[in-house]
Amino acid sequence: MAVNFSLEGKVALVTGASYGIGFAIASEYAKAGATIVFNDIKQEFVDKGLASYKAIGIAAHGYVCDVTDEDGVNEMVKKIEAEVGVIDILVNNAGIIKRIPMIDMSAADFRQVIDVDLNAPFIVSKAVIPSMITKGHGKIINICSMMSELGRETVSAYAAAKGGLKMLTRNICSEYGQFNIQCNGLGPGYIATPQTAPLRETQVDGSKHPFDSFILAKTPANRWGDPEDLAGPAVFLASDASNFVNGHVLYVDGGILAYIGKQPD
Ligand code: NAP
Ligand code: GCO
């Protein structure tokens, strides 16, 4: 029996997928046969996203929605179900980061990161699971992080959120696996997107950003990841090929989590 990686006939919602990792995942889902739905906070970003998908031959469906707004999410999911179809695949991709030393971080900033990176995956998953149960199957993929496993200076809120997202993934697996819903995490390493641009920018003297060199020394692959590096693993987790994979976080990190770091020469 050929393993089924096809997404033909499936409706996939990828949150925050106007660009970056979400866009790369949604684009690959379209190539695998899925109908693509995405959201962004503002119509102008949704329009830009629609144009980007169209430019690569994908007729995506875009919705304006702030994933932290539960009423707005519920309204968006109802509109998607009416206009596109029941959501078979949800990728909780939308996310933010604030890089601030913890003792300098306001509680408001901390809460905002938790709201987008952890509360929102709860809100959106809660909105789509009932129809997945009715339909008899579903796939939920939460975009975790190296910070689901590791800490580092200035990212306390983000690490707390992504660590929580790993456990939310395991809990959705535990509660809804009986309904043929698989919930897994996808854990990117350091990927070249707008979110990490500040960590890679060339210094005034033309030298590499110190963090750029740091990450290369911590990555056996000796390179930053591209969003496209995540596409294949994301298709696997969205397809029938992973129907007995549940509560797992698949790290796509070039080996960072396995590696203590480049030893001194
Ligand atoms: P990005 O380039 O900053 O894109 C984030 C996307 O999320 C944007 O489209 C953004 O929309 C959207 N978004 C943010 N807040 C939102 C909200 N409240 N409602 C709806 N959409 C919202 O980030 P990325 O690098 O592609 O990362 C995508 C995901 O991967 C995030 O969860 C991130 O934590 C995770 N991740 C990234 C890396 C990495 O190295 N890049 C590694 C591990 C995990 P706007 O444009 O409107 O802000
Ligand atoms: C940072 C980076 C990381 C990446 C990613 C690593 O400031 O350390 O933004 O958090 O975004 O989460 O997996």
Side-chain angles (χ1 to χ4, degrees), residues 2 13 36 41 64 66-68 74 82 90 125 134 141 146 175 190 199 208 215-216 220:
L13 168 61
I36 300 308
I41 300 174
V64 178
D66 177 341
V67 291
T68 65
N74 290 333
L90 167 64
S125 300
T134 304
I141 295 141
M146 296 290 93
E175 279 195 72
Y190 279 80
L199 305 175
K208 270 182 176 287
I215 284 304
L216 294 180

Side-chain angles (χ1 to χ4, degrees), residues 97 99 145-147 152 155 158 188-190 195-196 199 211:
I97 190 167
R99 300 181 181 97
S145 162
M146 296 290 93
M147 275 64 222
R152 85 170 182 84
V155 295
Y158 185 84
Y190 279 80
Q195 192 245 48
T196 55
L199 305 175
F211 198 92

Side-chain angles (χ1 to χ4, degrees), residues 81 86-88 128-138 179 181:
E81 292 184 350
V86 168
I87 294 162
D88 300 288
V128 305
I129 284 172
S131 293
M132 288 180 171
I133 291 173
T134 304
K135 200 166 183 181
H137 68 250
F179 301 106
I181 294 170

Side-chain angles (χ1 to χ4, degrees), residues 16-228:
S18 300
Y19 54 86
I21 287 172
F23 182 86
I25 289 174
S27 301
E28 199 66 31
Y29 281 5
K31 291 175 193 168
T35 298
I36 300 308
V37 186
F38 74 100
N39 71 294
D40 209 312
I41 300 174
K42 290 180 184 169
Q43 188 62 54
E44 67 175 290
F45 297 145
V46 169
D47 293 344
K48 282 182 182 172
L50 288 169
S52 300
Y53 284 110
K54 188 178 179 183
I56 56 174
I58 297 171
H61 301 262
Y63 291 82
V64 178
C65 180
D66 177 341
V67 291
T68 65
D69 170 10
E70 186 166 21
D71 292 340
V73 167
N74 290 333
E75 185 185 330
M76 173 181 70
V77 169
K78 286 190 175 67
K79 282 179 74 175
I80 292 169
E81 292 184 350
E83 296 169 1
V84 185
V86 168
I87 294 162
D88 300 288
I89 302 159
L90 167 64
V91 180
N92 284 308
N93 167 77
I96 62 170
I97 190 167
K98 291 180 184 285
R99 300 181 181 97
I100 304 167
M102 197 185 95
I103 61 173
D104 300 331
M105 186 177 225
S106 69
D109 274 340
F110 188 93
R111 275 195 292 268
Q112 187 187 1
V113 175
I114 298 291
D115 215 16
V116 178
D117 295 3
L118 180 57
N119 293 344
F122 160 77
I123 288 168
V124 186
S125 300
K126 181 182 162 195
V128 305
I129 284 172
S131 293
M132 288 180 171
I133 291 173
T134 304
K135 200 166 183 181
H137 68 250
K139 296 281 188 180
I140 297 175
I141 295 141
N142 294 320
I143 306 299
C144 294
S145 162
M146 296 290 93
M147 275 64 222
S148 296
E149 302 293 343
L150 302 171
R152 85 170 182 84
E153 298 83 356
T154 76
V155 295
S156 59
Y158 185 84
K162 293 298 188 179
L165 186 56
K166 175 175 73 173
M167 288 314 300
L168 177 64
T169 299
R170 292 178 177 167
N171 214 76
I172 293 171
C173 153
S174 304
E175 279 195 72
Y176 299 103
Q178 63 184 300
F179 301 106
N180 191 28
I181 294 170
Q182 292 84 47
C183 181
N184 291 286
L186 190 64
Y190 279 80
I191 312 297
T193 71
Q195 192 245 48
T196 55
L199 305 175
R200 290 177 283 110
E201 60 198 8
T202 303
Q203 304 299 279
V204 173
D205 64 4
S207 63
K208 270 182 176 287
H209 191 297
F211 198 92
D212 188 345
S213 306
F214 169 71
I215 284 304
L216 294 180
K218 298 284 282 180
T219 310
N222 195 36
R223 66 174 175 87
W224 285 71
D226 296 315
E228 291 69 29

